[in-house]
Amino acid sequence: TLIAIVTPSVSHRDLAVTMASSDADRAAAPSSPSPSQLLASADKALAFLRSATQPPVWPPAKSDIAYVFKLPAAYESMGCVEEGRAVFAELLRPHLPDGGVHSDNPAYRFAYPHYPWMWASYAAAKLGLTEDAALCDRLLSPWQAGDGSGLVRNPNGVECDLFSTALQVWNHLVNFGRVLDARRAGTALVRAVNRWSNEYGENANVLPLRWDAASLQWL
């Protein structure tokens, strides 16, 4: 999870140069794309983002946070700060109070309505939108248990979740630099994985995401 969401912190041109700058790497992988090819692909991706968020294809029939919550970070990662701020203000900010609870995506509507806030918080911090970043941070705060574990939405009980805990690690460390809070959430992750391993030993070939906060029973 953390690897998957760390990519936007690198600009598309820096990423292109980094991926293809080593002669040794090119020798080991002769089919690797050249820096110019990577730059061209990144520019095509940016052009697609721009066209996909303008008329006639935009706005969609139904406004949904699932369509927009990663867009500002994408623009920022490509060095388009002003466009990122405009997209945040126009497309994402109206959705912030409710998060994903009204999304047609079942993952955001049910278990993870707080997930878009992590992306919004990241983008806002990178774009210098300090008030938006602080708002998202406040909205994320109730989704963490006292031991650092991340929570999921469940009207019938209190459930902790590996993905939601990783989300808290990211928000604390990357978005706000709170090392101690990130360590507390990271420790909760390690503790859960170790507990599963100790309980199931060699049979622990599948790691579940969730456990009951009170009984620690895996769900």
Side-chain angles (χ1 to χ4, degrees):
T1 300
L2 294 180
I3 293 174
I5 57 181
V6 75
T7 306
S9 65
V10 182
S11 78
H12 75 305
R13 294 186 177 274
D14 290 343
L15 181 61
V17 173
T18 300
M19 291 178 66
S21 61
S22 168
D23 290 337
D25 288 344
R26 286 196 293 272
S31 61
S32 298
S34 68
S36 60
Q37 289 174 318
L38 291 169
L39 288 172
S41 296
D43 288 336
K44 287 180 181 178
L46 178 58
F48 172 79
L49 281 181
R50 287 171 172 158
S51 65
T53 53
Q54 296 177 9
V57 295
W58 193 271
K62 178 188 176 183
S63 180
D64 192 320
I65 197 172
Y67 298 141
V68 299
F69 72 87
K70 295 182 182 179
L71 280 177
Y75 277 106
E76 188 281 329
S77 74
M78 292 185 245
C80 305
V81 174
E82 292 306 318
E83 284 184 271
R85 289 172 178 165
V87 167
F88 194 106
E90 181 180 351
L91 304 182
L92 180 53
R93 188 176 291 147
H95 291 285
L96 291 183
D98 296 323
V101 293
H102 300 304
S103 175
D104 282 342
N105 185 308
Y108 309 144
R109 186 168 73 251
F110 296 115
Y112 304 104
H114 54 307
Y115 178 55
W117 288 327
M118 185 211 71
W119 276 92
S121 179
Y122 169 80
K126 298 290 283 186
L127 293 167
L129 304 173
T130 55
E131 291 184 5
D132 293 297
L135 170 62
C136 294
D137 190 39
R138 290 195 301 272
L139 292 169
L140 279 169
S141 180
W143 294 86
Q144 187 171 26
D147 67 348
S149 301
L151 304 174
V152 293
R153 186 184 185 199
N154 181 0
N156 300 316
V158 181
E159 294 183 10
C160 299
D161 177 274
L162 291 178
F163 178 77
S164 190
T165 307
L167 182 159
Q168 294 289 350
V169 175
W170 174 272
N171 186 63
H172 287 309
L173 183 61
V174 179
N175 295 355
F176 296 98
R178 296 190 295 253
V179 175
L180 294 180
D181 289 331
R183 182 176 295 174
R184 183 165 58 98
T187 299
L189 270 179
V190 173
R191 186 167 54 244
V193 172
N194 287 341
R195 179 164 55 84
W196 173 257
S197 178
N198 292 334
E199 290 176 6
Y200 290 88
E202 295 180 356
N203 296 321
N205 59 339
V206 176
L207 180 64
L209 282 176
R210 298 180 191 167
W211 64 96
D212 181 81
S215 68
L216 300 184
Q217 180 179 352
W218 294 98
L219 303 171

